[in-house]
Every structure is written in structure tokens, then in C-alpha cells.
Amino acid sequence: MSSAGSGGRVLAAHPGDPKRVGPYRIIGRLGSGGMGTVFAGLDAAGLRVAVKVVHPAQADDAEFRARFRREVQLSARVQGPCLVPLIAADAEAPSPWLATAYAPGLTLDRYIAAHGPLAGGTLYAFATGTAQALAAIHAAGVVHRDVKPQNVILTPVGPRVLDFGIAHAADGTSVTRTGILTGTPGWISPEHYRTGISGPEGDMFVWGALIAFAATGRAPFGGGAPDSVAYRVMSEDPDLRGLPGELHAIVRSALAKEPGDRATAWDAAETCAVLLAAQATQVAPTGAEPTLVGDLVAAQWAVPTLDDPNWRRPARSSRRLVGIAAVVGTVIGGLAGGALALQTDKTETASTSSRPPASASPSKTATMPASASPASSQAVVEAASSPTPANADEATIATWRAARRAKGEAEIETEAALGHDLSYGMGEDYNYSGQYDVGYAPARRELYITISGPAVESRIVQGVAKNACLTLRMMAGIYKSLPYDEYVLVDNTTPTAPAIVWEDDFRANTGCITQTIDRTATDAGQAPSWHPTEQGLAAAQIPSVDQREIRVATEAVHQLFVDWNANSRLFDDPRYISDENTSIGFAPHEGVMYVWATKPEWDQSTREEWAEAAAGLACRTVLAESRAGQGWGYAQYAVAVLDGGGSTDFLRWGTAGSCAS
């Protein structure tokens, strides 16, 4: 869905426009396109969002709605730099909608019309950031298919690629009807013109055209009648006059006529990052420390903040709730729908109660290393009874209690961003409804995030750690004066015994990589506080493109075949399982590995026996991967038997800690 106006000022609402969409209050329009309308919205805390609502004609199409639902699920997997991620969506609404963070700034075409082409470090940062965004989209098995200047925002902290929220699965499906060519002339690949189908290689062709346009202000295949443009795209060389020589090779590779001859997004991102680093070296003072690529994009970026006075926040009479003035890609959490947890009054002073006014978030090196067992991890969980630190550099319950409330714009906006992102990122879709408070210890360079509410599981710790890291890195890019680099996560779900459960350095952890295992093993037979869902199983049934997930699933299901089929008479035995009826998959938004068999002929006794075997294997698998290394996002498992007619029987589920012994 195009959003030609989404980078600029809010436009007046039209007669008949909705007053609310989902949890968002609509204050105007940001743009429109063939698929729907993009509205400017505010959540309860005043956070700005772009809400895209599908046109009624599309909503009445059952085929479209089914594909929209699937593509939203796929898009929820996309995480990476220079993207405007999905916050929430409702594919079942009368008019399906999705919401993304609002990216302030002009679209590339409008910026060039006002200020001319990009140059110097800004151009190389643009090329690097957009290539990284496409690499992240493609790694999630999604194809953008609508890369163009109108879908790239030049925000104050870097470029942001829009509209992968209604993207397309890499298997070639599309939310448009077969046989109808979609796209903007000049921003369509040769194979898309020829066949109407385009994969990741098509995105890269248009990326090459995008970089040429950004550098020269001209479309590389010219303008005019659509059929003339199409002919030049398919048959003629691009016009790259004015493109810096260092970029020629990678742009020409991307613009190759044959898809197989083009650079991948990852190749382009790496090449452009090297060029960007060279640009930074040319202007860096002698002896300067090397800078990480993600920081280089922001450091070399020279686009001013665009003031948009048409945004209006709801009036607040009883409490001071401050939203984010410039939100850029703040939420990495998928389709979370939890309500924002309102913060307590900012003027409250520190107390000596077990629940201080400040809170904690992950910091330093993670306090639950991959090699830890639930027993050993207790050594790094500091209870209130241990006020004196073994190491003065480590956060303690005492330093948590001493942390103060937010002061000044940067801290207040950071608290609002964390409250929003964590509440949405770990909301109802994660079966967790906790609240998050934030406290600050500037002398220690520590920021604390406290979780209060239901007891936390390892997946909650890991999810909060990752989302907090991502948000803090973004806010540090906006507010260069923020003096913090450590974030500490405090479990205050039992106020009489608060505990530090995570510490990490968000500036050093550039990928916001986290891992954990369940820190409190579930007693045998005790039901966990969560339950697997049909939505999670549906997400797990989408084929994964993550190489680690594929390896783990392949090895685990093979072992399950060996264990279960040992006493079977193979194909003529109704107990026999195979690739045709048994699978393992992953639900990233839940942090659950699902194991399921489609065996309607099994009686309940056989189901229970199989579930016991499958659950044991699944538990050991997620535990082993949690201990094996960083980046593993699954600490829970669920086992089900399907009857093939739509009925699901969830038989076993649990957390990694329950099988640690």
C-alpha cells in the first residue's frame, strides 16, 4: 500500500473517515493508495502511528483476506535496521488494518524535489541502510515488491523502508489477483514486467534504480508513457551519469537484466557498508576509534528534523504522559495487542518500599549465560537479602532502589518509548500482562526496568531484554546526550523478594542478541501458567527460512521418528509416523517450538503415549539450544495431535527448565 504522504505533514481527514481504528485515535490522513488509506493515529500515551486500512472492495474478497492474514503473519517475523516494523494488525476486522510506528520525515522523492539529490556520507548511508533493510526482509522469507522513492522515508536518524507490512511471501503469492500487473512504472523489474511475478532479485533491481535516483535525482530508465518505460527497463542500459564511481559496480550488478546475475541484498549491504566506512575514515580525526556500521549510518546521516505541527496529542488532566516526538521503528514484537501500561505519576519520589519508583532493564553481560542451568542461574539472580555487591560494578537491589525517576526530555521520552514497546511487544499475544517502570542511575550509567505483575517466565525475560535493547539503541541515536549504556532488568513480581534477572550493555550488543533458559524449573506435573494457541500453531506451520530453526527441527523430528518407530512394523502400522504426518515448527511471537502429528486414527491412549515421547524430546531440544549459544528465541514447547479436519488436541506443553534435571 503506497503512502505518498506518510513522510510529510498530516492531512485533514475526509468525510466518513473513521474516528478510531483498533486502539488508535485517528487525527488525519497520511496518504492513500490502491490497496487502502494510511491514517495518522495516536495511542493512549500519545505515541504516533501510521494505521493502514484496507479498502472495502479488497476487504470483501475472501481470497485477499486470507492472503492478507498470512502475509501479516510473515511480516511479523521481519526484524532489522532501517525498517518501520509492524506494531499490531487485525485481519478479521470488517476493514482489515495494520499499524506501524510513525517515521517522521520526507519521502525520498519529496526530499529530492525540495533539496536535490543525496551526496557524500548521506548517500552512502542511504545505500547501506536500505540494503540492510531489504536483507532483513528477505531473510524472513518476505519479498517487498513495492520498493520505490515514495516508500522510503528520510528520518532524522537514517532511512526507513516502508510498506513491507503488506508484503508478499517468497513463494510467489500476492495479495493482488493473478494476471494483474501491479507496481509503479520505472520501479518494476524486467521479470515482473514479463511474468507479473518477482522475488528477492526483483527487489534488488529496484534497489539499484533507487540508489541511482537518490544520487542523481533522475529515474535511471527515464519517464514518459508506461510502455516506453517498460521497454527501456527490459531492453536498455540504465542512465547512471552522476552516480559516484565507487557505487557503479554494485548498482550495475543490481540492475542486471537477468535475476541470477544480480547482487543479493546481503552482498549490497556489505559492499555499501565498506564504502560508508571509507567515507567516515576520510572525515574522521586522526586516532579516532572505529565505529560500528549501524552507528555509521546515523553518524554520516545529514537530514534535518521535519517539524509537523499538525500532530496533536490528547489532553491529559490528571497525569503527565509524554509520547515520543520522533519515533523511528520503535517496536520489534510482531502482532502484539496488549494495552499500554500507564506509568505512575512522574513526580513521585523514591521510596524505601519493596517496589521503588524506578525499574530495571537488561544490562552489561547477560546474567543468564547460555551455559547456565536453572540451578546455576540462581547464582546470578540477586535477591533483596543481598544488598552488598560482590563486585561494585554490578547492579544490585540496593542500586535499583536508589535509582531515580526520569528527568528531562531525553529520559522522559525514553521511558515513554520503553513503556510502549514493552507493553506491545510482550502483551496479550504473549499471554503476559505485566507492567514496566523505568528508573535511572546516571552516575553508574545504568537504566533500570522493573517488571511487576504475573510471575515471569524465561521467554518474558528474553523478550523484554531484546525489545528493551532495541528501543534503547534507537533512543540513544535520537538523544546523543543520554549518558546510559547498561540496562538492568528487575523481576518485582514478588515485591517482598525482587531479583535482578538480566544485565547487558545495549551499546555494545549491536545486534541485541539475547538468550536464556528457564530460571525456575517447573515441578513435574505442574501446569505452566501459559497455554499453546491455535494462532501459534498456525505460525509454526509457515515454513521457516531461519537456518538454525531448520537444522533443529530436522534433527529433532528425525530423532522422534527413530524413538517412536523403533517397535513399529513401518508403513502398515497405524502407530508409524513420517514426514507425511509429523512436523516441527516455530512460533516466533510466542517463543514456542510446536510438535504435531496428524493422526485421526489414533485412540486417546496412543495419543498420550506419543505426546509423552514427543514432549520429552521437545523439552530437551529447546533446553540444549538455549544452552548452546546466543540468539535462540525458544524456551517453550507444545505437542499436539491434529485430526486433519481442523480439530487440534494440545496434549503437552512446558518450558525448558522443566526437563533440566
Side-chain angles (χ1 to χ4, degrees):
M1 183 190 307
S2 296
S3 52
S6 60
R9 301 181 185 278
V10 177
L11 306 175
H14 293 190
D17 281 354
K19 301 297 183 184
R20 297 191 69 86
V21 174
Y24 307 108
R25 184 170 73 89
I26 302 303
I27 65 168
R29 286 190 171 205
L30 293 171
S32 62
M35 192 174 294
T37 301
V38 187
F39 295 103
L42 295 169
D43 75 358
L47 187 75
R48 300 171 184 180
V49 295
V51 185
K52 305 181 182 185
V53 180
V54 171
H55 286 319
Q58 299 275 23
D60 291 339
D61 186 330
E63 178 185 358
F64 171 90
R65 190 180 286 269
R67 288 175 173 171
F68 178 89
R69 185 183 304 114
R70 179 171 181 267
E71 288 163 5
V72 164
Q73 288 179 328
L74 283 170
S75 298
R77 294 187 174 192
V78 180
Q79 299 184 19
C82 296
L83 294 170
V84 181
L86 207 60
I87 294 175
D90 187 354
E92 311 307 324
S95 294
W97 60 269
L98 60 83
T100 66
Y102 171 72
L106 294 174
T107 55
L108 177 63
D109 58 322
R110 294 177 62 195
Y111 182 91
I112 288 178
H115 304 287
L118 306 185
T122 300
L123 174 62
Y124 289 92
F126 178 85
T128 303
T130 51
Q132 287 178 332
L134 289 177
I137 291 170
H138 296 166
V142 175
V143 182
H144 192 293
R145 293 193 189 173
D146 200 18
V147 178
K148 58 186 178 182
Q150 296 90 333
N151 275 340
V152 183
I153 296 285
L154 306 190
T155 78
V157 292
R160 294 295 183 266
V161 176
L162 303 178
D163 269 5
F164 72 88
I166 305 181
H168 308 279
D171 61 5
T173 61
S174 169
V175 293
T176 56
R177 290 187 179 278
T178 302
I180 300 177
L181 180 67
T182 61
T184 303
W187 305 101
I188 298 174
S189 65
E191 65 271 20
H192 195 178
Y193 273 122
R194 289 192 295 264
T195 67
I197 297 175
S198 182
E201 300 85 0
D203 283 350
M204 288 310 298
F205 182 90
V206 184
W207 175 84
L210 189 76
I211 303 310
F213 176 76
T216 67
R218 302 186 313 274
F221 296 99
D227 56 344
S228 298
V229 175
Y231 173 81
R232 291 193 290 270
V233 167
M234 291 187 288
S235 305
E236 296 185 357
D237 291 334
D239 177 5
L240 300 182
R241 291 171 298 159
L243 181 72
E246 297 88 349
L247 285 170
H248 263 267
I250 189 63
V251 170
R252 282 196 176 277
S253 174
L255 290 172
K257 302 300 184 187
E258 294 301 322
D261 294 336
R262 295 175 199 149
T264 66
W266 182 254
D267 292 336
E270 285 192 318
T271 298
C272 292
V274 171
L275 297 175
L276 176 62
Q279 285 284 314
T281 301
Q282 293 171 14
V283 299
T286 303
E289 292 293 325
T291 306
L292 296 168
V293 170
D295 299 326
L296 277 175
V297 171
Q300 293 296 305
W301 192 248
V303 173
T305 300
L306 176 68
D307 180 37
D308 190 346
N310 293 322
W311 281 99
R312 292 291 182 268
R313 295 185 184 181
R316 299 289 180 187
S317 58
S318 61
R319 64 180 70 216
R320 185 182 179 192
L321 290 176
V322 183
I324 297 178
V327 174
V328 183
T330 57
V331 178
I332 307 286
L335 307 179
L340 179 66
L342 300 180
Q343 306 298 312
T344 55
D345 186 28
K346 300 291 188 300
T347 61
E348 179 181 331
T349 58
S351 71
T352 57
S353 67
S354 62
R355 182 181 179 183
S359 242
S361 157
S363 82
K364 295 178 183 161
T365 54
T367 58
M368 285 185 285
S371 60
S373 67
S376 64
S377 69
Q378 291 300 313
V380 298
V381 176
E382 181 178 1
S385 59
S386 302
T388 304
N391 184 333
D393 291 334
E394 297 299 320
T396 69
I397 293 300
T399 60
W400 166 64
R401 293 189 190 282
R404 61 163 172 77
R405 284 294 187 186
K407 292 181 180 180
E409 177 185 350
E411 290 183 1
I412 291 172
E413 295 289 358
T414 297
E415 180 166 352
L418 284 167
H420 177 276
D421 294 359
L422 298 181
S423 295
Y424 274 110
M426 302 305 299
E428 292 175 357
D429 282 1
Y430 290 77
N431 297 319
Y432 189 73
S433 57
Q435 294 184 342
Y436 309 92
D437 295 320
V438 184
Y440 301 85
R444 297 178 55 83
R445 301 183 64 85
E446 289 173 345
L447 182 150
Y448 293 82
I449 299 173
T450 302
I451 305 178
S452 301
V456 293
E457 302 165 5
S458 58
R459 68 190 180 101
I460 303 299
V461 173
Q462 184 178 22
V464 172
K466 185 176 185 68
N467 289 354
C469 177
L470 290 164
T471 299
L472 289 169
R473 287 186 58 79
M474 184 273 296
M475 296 306 293
I478 295 174
Y479 293 101
K480 305 294 186 184
S481 62
L482 272 176
Y484 306 99
D485 37 47
E486 306 292 339
Y487 68 116
V488 184
L489 186 62
V490 176
D491 178 356
N492 195 40
T493 57
T494 305
T496 57
I500 291 176
V501 293
W502 197 278
E503 244 181 306
D504 201 4
D505 183 328
F506 68 84
R507 295 183 189 269
N509 187 2
T510 57
C512 289
I513 297 172
T514 60
Q515 88 289 323
T516 183
I517 59 173
D518 197 10
R519 58 191 177 83
T520 53
T522 304
D523 294 336
Q526 178 181 344
S529 59
W530 64 279
H531 193 286
T533 66
E534 294 283 358
Q535 293 83 358
L537 180 61
Q541 290 171 335
I542 299 173
S544 176
V545 296
D546 183 274
Q547 293 303 309
R548 188 175 182 185
E549 291 178 7
I550 293 170
R551 174 187 61 77
V552 170
T554 300
E555 292 174 356
V557 80
H558 174 74
Q559 187 60 49
L560 184 59
F561 292 161
V562 171
D563 295 346
W564 180 253
N565 292 332
N567 297 318
S568 298
R569 292 171 294 165
L570 298 181
F571 300 104
D572 60 345
D573 190 330
R575 291 170 53 91
Y576 185 76
I577 58 175
S578 67
D579 287 323
E580 295 182 355
N581 52 43
T582 307
S583 298
I584 293 178
F586 301 87
H589 71 289
E590 290 185 345
V592 179
M593 183 179 86
Y594 282 83
V595 185
W596 67 94
T598 304
K599 297 291 286 187
E601 66 271 25
W602 279 355
D603 59 23
Q604 194 60 34
S605 175
T606 304
R607 291 184 176 208
E608 294 289 345
E609 184 182 353
W610 177 81
E612 193 69 27
L617 175 68
C619 189
R620 294 190 297 274
T621 298
V622 293
L623 177 63
E625 289 301 314
S626 293
R627 290 173 169 173
Q630 295 184 336
W632 181 247
Y634 306 93
Q636 300 180 116
Y637 64 90
V639 174
V641 173
L642 285 58
D643 67 2
S647 177
T648 302
D649 186 8
F650 289 112
L651 294 165
R652 298 284 189 281
W653 58 92
T655 62
S658 63
C659 60
S661 60

